[in-house]
Amino acid sequence: MRKIIHIDMDAFFASVEQRDNPELRGKPVAVGGSRARGVVAAASYEARKFGVHSALASKIAAQRCPQLIFVKPRFEVYSAVSRQIREIFHSYTDLVEPLSLDEAYLDVTENKIGMPSATIIANEIRARIQAETGLTASAGISFNKFLAKIASDMNKPNGFTLITPDKAEELVAGLLIEKFHGIGKVTAAKMQHMGILTGADLRERSEEELVRHFGKTGRYYYRIARAQDDREVQPHRIRKSIGSERTFEIDLTEEEVMLQELERLSKEVAHDMERLQATAKTVTVKIKYFDFTQNTRSKTFLSEFKSADAIYTIARDLLRTPQLPQYPVRLLGVTASSLLYLHDKQEGYQLTLEF
């Protein structure tokens, strides 16, 4: 039986800002956006009490919490802290699967310190994170990834939950369907319309019925309703794309300003590609207009590229093709895809685009 830990940092971006700026501590903080425009990327627990959460429109967040403090994101700082945390993880096991900057799965069935208790390891990791970064984390411990992920969200912030095999099925049966990891809002709404409100309701449905309504994913739903999940922790989980986007406080209408923003986004994407030792063959530019309509423009090459200049040059051409945006632009995004990773490349000549 596996011993899986899911570590989830508590309000990560907002907590980093509160750590680095004492004036923000104990106050409602939103990272990203502004009172007028944009989207909340992260919210402190003080802000969450007012119903402010990630992906909420900043204007609505400000209405819900008039005293909300908006802070510009510092992704380079969050990335640096994330690397610190992952170094702590790797001192216990090499089986670490990052899901994002602020969460990861760890398989500690066999570990570097020879500790048989996953609970002790999880709490030791949490203590080290707090001592070395000044931040808190929550942990979920169980015998599979699904349950570990569910557990880490049950006692936040700065807590841990253990789900043992004898308690798993009972816990899943009582879980509201919207709390299931892997079931999004749209699917949850569809299930609720079908009368599936809890894990117990989901368990009553046959695998055939779930596959009929939800496709191949129905097999996954059938298994997790029974607390079953045989997915392994994948330490080399491959990202299929690397992107960055920005919503502007004032709609952009001038080409020069749009190009400045594309250059900044291209540098962010190139920085992540360098960190991941990746090259790309495709660039996509996302354009969202003032009325929330949007389109994307992509171009794929036979050869690879990785520099910020290369990404920017392609993005610039895409912005101008077939023509510059004819309406005010609310958001721009740049994404690199068709990724190739250094550790996956075979020996031999690699053709790289230069600009």
Side-chain angles (χ1 to χ4, degrees):
M1 185 171 291
R2 294 185 183 130
K3 298 175 183 179
I4 308 296
I5 300 171
H6 179 260
I7 298 287
D8 192 6
M9 299 300 297
D10 298 322
F12 183 49
F13 295 173
S15 294
V16 171
E17 297 302 334
Q18 290 177 317
R19 179 197 69 177
D20 294 348
N21 184 353
E23 293 182 1
L24 298 177
R25 295 173 190 170
K27 297 179 180 178
V29 174
V31 176
S34 69
R35 290 194 171 275
R37 297 294 296 270
V39 175
V40 174
S44 68
Y45 281 97
E46 294 85 356
R48 294 182 188 187
K49 294 176 181 178
F50 293 87
V52 178
H53 54 78
S54 62
L56 182 68
S58 301
K59 191 172 182 179
I60 296 175
Q63 291 172 351
R64 291 183 179 180
C65 181
Q67 63 269 46
L68 188 63
I69 302 170
F70 288 90
V71 179
K72 290 183 178 180
R74 299 181 297 152
F75 290 108
E76 69 284 355
V77 176
Y78 310 147
S79 295
V81 176
S82 180
R83 287 193 292 273
Q84 271 186 280
I85 294 166
R86 289 183 192 176
E87 287 179 6
I88 295 173
F89 295 161
H90 280 282
S91 66
Y92 293 89
T93 177
D94 289 327
L95 295 179
V96 177
E97 180 183 337
L99 300 180
S100 61
L101 290 176
D102 62 343
E103 61 176 319
Y105 289 114
L106 293 76
D107 187 332
V108 296
T109 311
E110 296 181 5
N111 54 81
K112 295 179 178 179
I113 63 171
M115 169 58 68
S117 170
T119 300
I120 291 176
I121 292 175
N123 283 327
E124 191 172 306
I125 288 173
R126 291 175 54 243
R128 283 188 59 185
I129 288 173
Q130 187 162 18
E132 296 178 29
T133 71
L135 303 171
T136 63
S138 297
I141 308 104
S142 197
F143 55 92
N144 65 41
K145 291 169 73 173
F146 169 71
L147 292 170
K149 173 73 173 176
I150 294 295
S152 68
D153 199 41
M154 294 179 69
N155 197 20
K156 291 179 76 68
N158 197 24
F160 79 95
T161 300
L162 169 67
I163 300 178
T164 55
D166 59 317
K167 301 292 184 182
E169 290 191 36
E170 179 184 357
L171 183 144
V172 171
L175 201 64
L176 293 175
I177 207 68
E178 61 267 27
K179 297 294 185 180
F180 274 61
H181 176 57
I183 296 181
K185 290 183 178 179
V186 174
T187 301
K190 183 176 179 179
M191 287 187 176
Q192 289 162 350
H193 183 71
M194 294 169 58
I196 303 174
L197 305 180
T198 65
D201 297 331
L202 183 60
R203 186 170 182 174
E204 290 179 358
R205 306 302 174 105
S206 68
E207 185 174 4
E208 291 75 15
E209 181 184 2
L210 293 175
V211 170
R212 187 167 65 252
H213 285 283
F214 303 102
K216 293 180 180 179
T217 314
R219 296 190 178 94
Y220 172 74
Y221 299 152
Y222 179 82
R223 291 179 59 79
I224 60 175
R226 291 156 176 77
Q228 300 170 4
D229 180 10
D230 56 5
R231 294 174 301 154
E232 296 181 353
V233 172
Q234 300 176 357
H236 303 297
R237 192 165 176 260
I238 300 299
R239 289 179 61 176
K240 296 181 179 180
S241 64
I242 298 171
S244 183
E245 61 182 42
R246 183 168 289 110
T247 300
F248 310 111
E249 291 188 30
I250 301 174
D251 295 333
L252 306 186
T253 56
E254 301 295 327
E255 177 184 10
E256 181 180 355
V257 181
M258 293 182 201
L259 293 178
Q260 289 174 354
E261 294 297 337
L262 282 184
E263 185 175 20
R264 185 185 309 176
L265 293 169
S266 298
K267 288 179 179 178
E268 292 175 3
V269 172
H271 174 76
D272 282 346
M273 288 175 62
E274 181 180 4
R275 178 174 57 85
L276 295 171
Q277 295 186 302
T279 58
K281 290 185 176 182
T282 300
V283 169
T284 301
V285 170
K286 176 181 176 182
I287 305 167
K288 183 180 288 186
Y289 298 103
F290 73 103
D291 59 356
F292 289 88
T293 60
Q294 68 178 49
N295 65 37
T296 57
R297 306 171 179 182
S298 294
K299 190 168 185 179
T300 299
F301 296 83
L302 294 175
S303 48
E304 305 164 44
F305 50 86
K306 62 180 180 179
S307 71
D309 287 344
I311 297 169
Y312 168 67
T313 301
I314 299 167
R316 180 193 63 198
D317 292 344
L318 289 170
L319 185 73
R320 294 170 171 169
T321 306
Q323 61 183 354
L324 285 167
Q326 300 298 295
Y327 305 102
V329 172
R330 174 185 177 85
L331 173 148
L332 284 173
V334 174
T335 299
S337 57
S338 303
L339 301 181
L340 296 170
Y341 292 88
L342 182 62
H343 54 76
D344 287 335
K345 293 179 182 178
Q346 297 179 349
E347 292 184 3
Y349 177 73
Q350 296 290 339
L351 180 62
T352 303
L353 273 179
E354 296 292 343
F355 289 87

